[in-house]
Amino acid sequence: MKLFVYHTPELTPDSEVPDCAIAIDVLRATTTIATALNSGAEAVQVFSDLDQLMQVSQEWPAEKRLRAGERGGAMVPGCDLGNSPLDCTPERMQGRRLFLTTTNGTRALQRVQESPIVLAAALVNRDSAVQYLLAQQLENVWLVGSGWQGSYSLEDTVCAGAIAHSVMNANNSKLDDIAGNDEVMGAIALYLQWQDRLLELFHHASHGKRLLRLDGHEDLKYCAETDILDVLPIQKEPGVLVKND
Ligand code: MLT
């Protein structure tokens, strides 16, 4: 298996598709998606465009839907919730579809939605993604960070490194065996440097600082936890993620 890391949707090739693409937005979209499905949401449907979200979700029974919107880290007025994974409690999520739009994470998912397999991963469900990759015998896997409006983000790259490092160890392979591009080595190096201080790393990250200004300390703490959820969001139709069985 060859892994390729792309730091942003903009850096992700558009002339080909891999066997499997994993979208990563640790702060916070893919953490929220994993948490919502773990809490019993029927599905998470993602949109980059808010108007489209409102239009599509309008056709869904009101008692079976929740609209979540985030721009610039803050909740979008008119939505039921923002993008905090801590709001995705079983009481709220059970049996409902979460319609979600965020600044970058939902764009990353849309960027790779033509791939035959699309997954969403964060630190909270890192091991679920790794176990899936180990079981599937795939040739090419892309780890696609969401970044922030076209720029690199530490938190997505450290998660890509955590996944790559775990796959490499489990397969007993060497870096050159799994690294499809130089970014894989950079991501693993970042993870090895910060693996025991992920929350501290998030305090250095530009989006971490943005969320702290919005009172997001508890979100940062939760998003920094690793392997706490046994759930793997998988795309069942373009833009719709469900829990992989
Ligand atoms: C994004 O998509 O940019 C993020 O998930 C933003 C956030 O809500 O923290």
Side-chain angles (χ1 to χ4, degrees):
M1 181 188 341
K2 283 280 184 205
L3 301 177
F4 297 78
V5 170
Y6 298 107
H7 294 307
T8 64
E10 289 76 6
L11 288 169
T12 305
D14 56 9
S15 53
E16 53 186 312
V17 290
D19 298 326
C20 170
I22 305 183
I24 300 171
D25 185 8
V26 173
L27 296 175
R28 299 164 288 175
T30 54
T31 304
T32 294
I33 292 168
T35 306
L37 292 174
N38 191 61
S39 291
E42 165 262 329
V44 180
Q45 187 161 356
V46 298
F47 298 84
S48 48
D49 183 71
L50 178 63
D51 291 339
Q52 208 193 349
L53 180 152
M54 288 298 178
Q55 210 181 328
V56 173
S57 60
Q58 192 60 35
E59 286 155 26
W60 211 257
E63 69 284 4
K64 293 271 180 202
R65 74 170 181 234
L66 283 168
R67 290 157 164 166
E70 168 274 336
R71 288 293 180 271
M75 177 178 158
V76 174
C79 288
D80 303 305
L81 45 160
N83 187 26
S84 171
L86 299 178
D87 288 338
C88 297
T89 58
E91 297 73 40
R92 276 185 130 157
M93 295 295 138
Q94 196 63 50
R96 293 207 164 95
R97 177 169 293 212
L98 184 67
F99 293 87
L100 174 70
T101 180
T102 71
T103 314
N104 305 285
T106 51
R107 278 192 321 116
L109 277 160
Q110 289 196 331
R111 179 70 199 74
V112 295
Q113 71 181 14
E114 302 305 327
S115 305
I117 303 171
V118 178
L119 309 173
L123 290 166
V124 289
N125 70 335
R126 183 270 305 255
D127 192 52
S128 303
V130 168
Q131 294 311 321
Y132 181 90
L133 296 181
L134 295 174
Q136 295 296 317
Q137 305 289 324
L138 301 160
E139 290 272 308
N140 295 308
V141 176
W142 291 2
L143 304 172
V144 176
S146 301
W148 186 265
Q149 296 182 332
S151 300
Y152 172 95
S153 73
L154 286 167
E155 64 276 12
D156 294 341
T157 300
V158 86
C159 180
I163 293 171
H165 183 254
S166 194
V167 167
M168 185 173 81
N169 277 355
N171 274 342
N172 226 349
S173 45
K174 297 197 172 25
L175 190 52
D176 283 335
D177 298 332
I178 62 147
N181 61 6
D182 289 0
E183 287 88 333
V184 174
M185 190 162 173
I188 291 176
L190 184 71
Y191 173 67
L192 290 177
Q193 170 135 2
W194 289 94
Q195 58 182 322
D196 300 323
R197 294 174 295 143
L198 290 166
L199 181 57
E200 188 185 334
L201 177 67
F202 291 1
H203 279 251
H204 291 294
S206 55
H207 188 48
K209 289 179 182 161
R210 184 177 297 108
L211 290 175
L212 287 172
R213 286 194 296 273
L214 294 166
D215 207 17
H217 184 68
E218 291 306 312
D219 274 14
L220 256 63
K221 262 168 67 184
Y222 178 76
C223 294
E225 291 191 56
T226 305
D227 300 339
I228 57 166
L229 300 183
D230 182 15
V231 65
L232 184 61
I234 187 165
Q235 180 176 266
K236 83 163 184 192
E237 59 190 74
V240 179
L241 295 137
V242 297
K243 192 172 171 177
N244 187 45
D245 293 324

